[in-house]
Amino acid sequence: MNFKTILACAALLIGIGTATAAVESDVVGYTTITMEAGKWYMVGTPFVALDDATAKLNNVFTIGFGEGDTLQLYKDGQGYSTYRWNKYKNGWATSTFSVASLADVVLPAGQAVFINKKIDGEVVLSGKVAVEEAVTFGSEAGNAWDQFVCVYPETVKLNSITWTGMAEGDTLQIYNPGDEVAGVAAGYVTYRWNKYKNGWATSTFSVAPLAEVNVPAGQAFFVNKKSAGKATCVR
């Protein structure tokens, strides 16, 4: 799975650094994600909607899809809702029939999706860069499952992301679609919140090093927040 991000600006950029920039207007851009037929991808848009518009499924995930592709949205306690690419309507619907209506589904900032590609495609996600957009997950009761993406279009280290509200027992999974050439099987890689290091590691032992994992823009997480209370992630 290959990710590529291009950023632009509606006005002058001032003092561009490696991670931040002072701007006179919104920074906009796009991320392309190369997806192969026959594989699953867990992704989300690392942008927010332009002009503070409401982001919807059929104006976010629009480029790089074709007949046979499916998309699933997860909601804790309800499981997955499945949508199919409708070639007649050129968008996502609950069926592939020509009379089907396009799905009217709102995507909150950071909402991830699970995509099963049946055709190769360059999926393009675009929008406005939100430097301080915090994504909230978890529940007051605890033991919540959430699929989400940290909203910022840049490759970062997992433990460079600012996480709040995490506690011992919480786990995070990253789905890898697999790489036959490299001999990497498809599946989840699991990380655990290490209270001693205050970050994600492969174990909860005090001697465990924090995970050195690169997270490309748009890569989503599947988090089981066993601890009670809301949590956030922000770049």
Side-chain angles (χ1 to χ4, degrees), residues 79-157:
Y80 287 98
S81 297
T82 300
Y83 302 92
R84 306 177 190 284
W85 187 260
N86 189 303
K87 67 179 182 179
Y88 302 102
K89 300 299 177 66
N90 199 38
W92 300 103
T94 54
S95 84
T96 57
F97 296 128
S98 61
V99 295
S101 299
L102 290 178
D104 186 21
V105 179
V106 173
L107 296 180
Q111 175 67 61
V113 300
F114 216 7
I115 294 169
N116 183 211
K117 291 291 290 170
K118 293 299 183 184
I119 64 166
D120 292 339
E122 291 282 340
V123 173
V124 179
L125 302 170
S126 62
K128 179 173 68 175
V129 175
V131 178
E132 298 180 351
E133 182 76 25
V135 176
T136 302
F137 57 97
S139 71
E140 296 302 330
N143 198 30
W145 286 90
D146 291 280
Q147 273 188 350
F148 59 90
V149 62
C150 190
V151 180
Y152 194 73
E154 177 187 58
T155 296
V156 297
K157 296 286 187 184

Side-chain angles (χ1 to χ4, degrees), residues 210-234:
L210 290 177
E212 287 289 331
V213 180
N214 286 325
V215 180
Q219 174 64 64
F221 310 116
F222 201 12
V223 172
N224 180 205
K225 190 176 185 302
K226 287 187 174 293
S227 59
K230 296 288 188 176
T232 63
C233 79
V234 62

Side-chain angles (χ1 to χ4, degrees), residues 1 3 33 35-36 38-45 57 60-61 65 68-75 79-85 92-93 105 107 110-118 123 125 145-149 173-178 185-189 218-223:
M1 177 167 56
F3 295 75
I33 306 173
M35 296 187 180
E36 299 177 27
K39 293 186 176 182
W40 287 87
Y41 297 87
M42 191 172 69
V43 298
T45 179
L57 178 62
V60 173
F61 293 94
F65 300 100
D69 291 346
T70 59
L71 179 150
Q72 295 182 320
L73 280 170
Y74 182 81
K75 187 173 183 179
Y80 287 98
S81 297
T82 300
Y83 302 92
R84 306 177 190 284
W85 187 260
W92 300 103
V105 179
L107 296 180
Q111 175 67 61
V113 300
F114 216 7
I115 294 169
N116 183 211
K117 291 291 290 170
K118 293 299 183 184
V123 173
L125 302 170
W145 286 90
D146 291 280
Q147 273 188 350
F148 59 90
V149 62
Q173 296 179 315
I174 298 177
Y175 186 80
N176 189 324
Y188 287 100
V189 179
Q219 174 64 64
F221 310 116
F222 201 12
V223 172

